PDB file of all heavy atoms in Angstrom:
ATOM      1  N   LEU A  47     -22.975 -34.858 -14.776  1.00  0.00           N
ATOM      2  CA  LEU A  47     -23.247 -34.451 -16.148  1.00  0.00           C
ATOM      3  C   LEU A  47     -23.485 -32.943 -16.228  1.00  0.00           C
ATOM      4  O   LEU A  47     -23.011 -32.270 -17.159  1.00  0.00           O
ATOM      5  CB  LEU A  47     -24.461 -35.204 -16.686  1.00  0.00           C
ATOM      6  CG  LEU A  47     -24.845 -34.930 -18.141  1.00  0.00           C
ATOM      7  CD1 LEU A  47     -23.716 -35.351 -19.073  1.00  0.00           C
ATOM      8  CD2 LEU A  47     -26.138 -35.662 -18.501  1.00  0.00           C
ATOM      9  N   ALA A  48     -24.188 -32.396 -15.237  1.00  0.00           N
ATOM     10  CA  ALA A  48     -24.457 -30.954 -15.226  1.00  0.00           C
ATOM     11  C   ALA A  48     -23.161 -30.157 -15.086  1.00  0.00           C
ATOM     12  O   ALA A  48     -22.970 -29.123 -15.746  1.00  0.00           O
ATOM     13  CB  ALA A  48     -25.415 -30.608 -14.085  1.00  0.00           C
ATOM     14  N   ILE A  49     -22.249 -30.628 -14.235  1.00  0.00           N
ATOM     15  CA  ILE A  49     -20.970 -29.942 -14.046  1.00  0.00           C
ATOM     16  C   ILE A  49     -20.156 -29.965 -15.332  1.00  0.00           C
ATOM     17  O   ILE A  49     -19.596 -28.943 -15.761  1.00  0.00           O
ATOM     18  CB  ILE A  49     -20.184 -30.584 -12.889  1.00  0.00           C
ATOM     19  CG1 ILE A  49     -20.849 -30.266 -11.553  1.00  0.00           C
ATOM     20  CG2 ILE A  49     -18.722 -30.105 -12.893  1.00  0.00           C
ATOM     21  CD1 ILE A  49     -20.235 -30.979 -10.375  1.00  0.00           C
ATOM     22  N   GLU A  50     -20.096 -31.128 -15.958  1.00  0.00           N
ATOM     23  CA  GLU A  50     -19.287 -31.232 -17.166  1.00  0.00           C
ATOM     24  C   GLU A  50     -19.892 -30.446 -18.323  1.00  0.00           C
ATOM     25  O   GLU A  50     -19.164 -29.928 -19.182  1.00  0.00           O
ATOM     26  CB  GLU A  50     -19.079 -32.699 -17.535  1.00  0.00           C
ATOM     27  CG  GLU A  50     -18.314 -33.493 -16.489  1.00  0.00           C
ATOM     28  CD  GLU A  50     -17.046 -32.773 -16.011  1.00  0.00           C
ATOM     29  OE1 GLU A  50     -16.298 -32.225 -16.862  1.00  0.00           O
ATOM     30  OE2 GLU A  50     -16.802 -32.730 -14.788  1.00  0.00           O
ATOM     31  N   ASN A  51     -21.214 -30.333 -18.350  1.00  0.00           N
ATOM     32  CA  ASN A  51     -21.854 -29.501 -19.367  1.00  0.00           C
ATOM     33  C   ASN A  51     -21.472 -28.033 -19.159  1.00  0.00           C
ATOM     34  O   ASN A  51     -21.147 -27.317 -20.125  1.00  0.00           O
ATOM     35  CB  ASN A  51     -23.364 -29.667 -19.311  1.00  0.00           C
ATOM     36  CG  ASN A  51     -24.070 -28.809 -20.334  1.00  0.00           C
ATOM     37  OD1 ASN A  51     -23.859 -28.952 -21.544  1.00  0.00           O
ATOM     38  ND2 ASN A  51     -24.926 -27.893 -19.876  1.00  0.00           N
ATOM     39  N   ALA A  52     -21.474 -27.582 -17.902  1.00  0.00           N
ATOM     40  CA  ALA A  52     -21.066 -26.210 -17.606  1.00  0.00           C
ATOM     41  C   ALA A  52     -19.601 -25.998 -17.944  1.00  0.00           C
ATOM     42  O   ALA A  52     -19.204 -24.927 -18.438  1.00  0.00           O
ATOM     43  CB  ALA A  52     -21.314 -25.892 -16.130  1.00  0.00           C
ATOM     44  N   ARG A  53     -18.775 -27.006 -17.719  1.00  0.00           N
ATOM     45  CA  ARG A  53     -17.349 -26.900 -18.037  1.00  0.00           C
ATOM     46  C   ARG A  53     -17.156 -26.729 -19.549  1.00  0.00           C
ATOM     47  O   ARG A  53     -16.324 -25.945 -20.004  1.00  0.00           O
ATOM     48  CB  ARG A  53     -16.612 -28.143 -17.537  1.00  0.00           C
ATOM     49  CG  ARG A  53     -15.103 -27.934 -17.395  1.00  0.00           C
ATOM     50  CD  ARG A  53     -14.386 -29.220 -17.003  1.00  0.00           C
ATOM     51  NE  ARG A  53     -14.976 -29.882 -15.868  1.00  0.00           N
ATOM     52  CZ  ARG A  53     -14.707 -29.574 -14.594  1.00  0.00           C
ATOM     53  NH1 ARG A  53     -13.875 -28.599 -14.320  1.00  0.00           N
ATOM     54  NH2 ARG A  53     -15.278 -30.231 -13.607  1.00  0.00           N
ATOM     55  N   GLU A  54     -17.946 -27.465 -20.327  1.00  0.00           N
ATOM     56  CA  GLU A  54     -17.854 -27.338 -21.780  1.00  0.00           C
ATOM     57  C   GLU A  54     -18.334 -25.965 -22.253  1.00  0.00           C
ATOM     58  O   GLU A  54     -17.751 -25.384 -23.190  1.00  0.00           O
ATOM     59  CB  GLU A  54     -18.664 -28.452 -22.440  1.00  0.00           C
ATOM     60  CG  GLU A  54     -18.043 -29.836 -22.275  1.00  0.00           C
ATOM     61  CD  GLU A  54     -18.862 -30.930 -22.939  1.00  0.00           C
ATOM     62  OE1 GLU A  54     -19.872 -30.595 -23.601  1.00  0.00           O
ATOM     63  OE2 GLU A  54     -18.493 -32.108 -22.794  1.00  0.00           O
ATOM     64  N   LEU A  55     -19.373 -25.427 -21.608  1.00  0.00           N
ATOM     65  CA  LEU A  55     -19.840 -24.087 -21.952  1.00  0.00           C
ATOM     66  C   LEU A  55     -18.756 -23.049 -21.669  1.00  0.00           C
ATOM     67  O   LEU A  55     -18.522 -22.136 -22.472  1.00  0.00           O
ATOM     68  CB  LEU A  55     -21.112 -23.752 -21.163  1.00  0.00           C
ATOM     69  CG  LEU A  55     -22.388 -24.484 -21.565  1.00  0.00           C
ATOM     70  CD1 LEU A  55     -23.494 -24.226 -20.553  1.00  0.00           C
ATOM     71  CD2 LEU A  55     -22.845 -24.041 -22.958  1.00  0.00           C
ATOM     72  N   ALA A  56     -18.092 -23.185 -20.516  1.00  0.00           N
ATOM     73  CA  ALA A  56     -17.028 -22.246 -20.165  1.00  0.00           C
ATOM     74  C   ALA A  56     -15.855 -22.365 -21.133  1.00  0.00           C
ATOM     75  O   ALA A  56     -15.284 -21.360 -21.561  1.00  0.00           O
ATOM     76  CB  ALA A  56     -16.569 -22.493 -18.726  1.00  0.00           C
ATOM     77  N   ALA A  57     -15.504 -23.604 -21.486  1.00  0.00           N
ATOM     78  CA  ALA A  57     -14.399 -23.814 -22.412  1.00  0.00           C
ATOM     79  C   ALA A  57     -14.703 -23.219 -23.781  1.00  0.00           C
ATOM     80  O   ALA A  57     -13.834 -22.604 -24.420  1.00  0.00           O
ATOM     81  CB  ALA A  57     -14.102 -25.305 -22.534  1.00  0.00           C
ATOM     82  N   ALA A  58     -15.938 -23.378 -24.244  1.00  0.00           N
ATOM     83  CA  ALA A  58     -16.322 -22.799 -25.531  1.00  0.00           C
ATOM     84  C   ALA A  58     -16.253 -21.281 -25.471  1.00  0.00           C
ATOM     85  O   ALA A  58     -15.832 -20.627 -26.438  1.00  0.00           O
ATOM     86  CB  ALA A  58     -17.729 -23.260 -25.903  1.00  0.00           C
ATOM     87  N   PHE A  59     -16.655 -20.693 -24.355  1.00  0.00           N
ATOM     88  CA  PHE A  59     -16.634 -19.238 -24.216  1.00  0.00           C
ATOM     89  C   PHE A  59     -15.207 -18.700 -24.260  1.00  0.00           C
ATOM     90  O   PHE A  59     -14.929 -17.691 -24.928  1.00  0.00           O
ATOM     91  CB  PHE A  59     -17.307 -18.824 -22.906  1.00  0.00           C
ATOM     92  CG  PHE A  59     -17.419 -17.336 -22.715  1.00  0.00           C
ATOM     93  CD1 PHE A  59     -18.517 -16.649 -23.205  1.00  0.00           C
ATOM     94  CD2 PHE A  59     -16.428 -16.614 -22.068  1.00  0.00           C
ATOM     95  CE1 PHE A  59     -18.626 -15.267 -23.062  1.00  0.00           C
ATOM     96  CE2 PHE A  59     -16.527 -15.244 -21.910  1.00  0.00           C
ATOM     97  CZ  PHE A  59     -17.632 -14.566 -22.414  1.00  0.00           C
ATOM     98  N   PHE A  60     -14.299 -19.347 -23.551  1.00  0.00           N
ATOM     99  CA  PHE A  60     -12.921 -18.850 -23.461  1.00  0.00           C
ATOM    100  C   PHE A  60     -12.009 -19.408 -24.549  1.00  0.00           C
ATOM    101  O   PHE A  60     -10.850 -19.002 -24.636  1.00  0.00           O
ATOM    102  CB  PHE A  60     -12.339 -19.170 -22.080  1.00  0.00           C
ATOM    103  CG  PHE A  60     -12.942 -18.358 -20.971  1.00  0.00           C
ATOM    104  CD1 PHE A  60     -13.821 -18.941 -20.069  1.00  0.00           C
ATOM    105  CD2 PHE A  60     -12.660 -17.010 -20.843  1.00  0.00           C
ATOM    106  CE1 PHE A  60     -14.399 -18.192 -19.048  1.00  0.00           C
ATOM    107  CE2 PHE A  60     -13.227 -16.257 -19.831  1.00  0.00           C
ATOM    108  CZ  PHE A  60     -14.105 -16.847 -18.937  1.00  0.00           C
TER     109      PHE A  60
END
Side-chain angles (χ1 to χ4, degrees):
L47 182 62
I49 289 174
E50 297 312 316
N51 179 61
R53 199 185 310 276
E54 290 180 4
L55 289 170
F59 184 88
F60 289 107

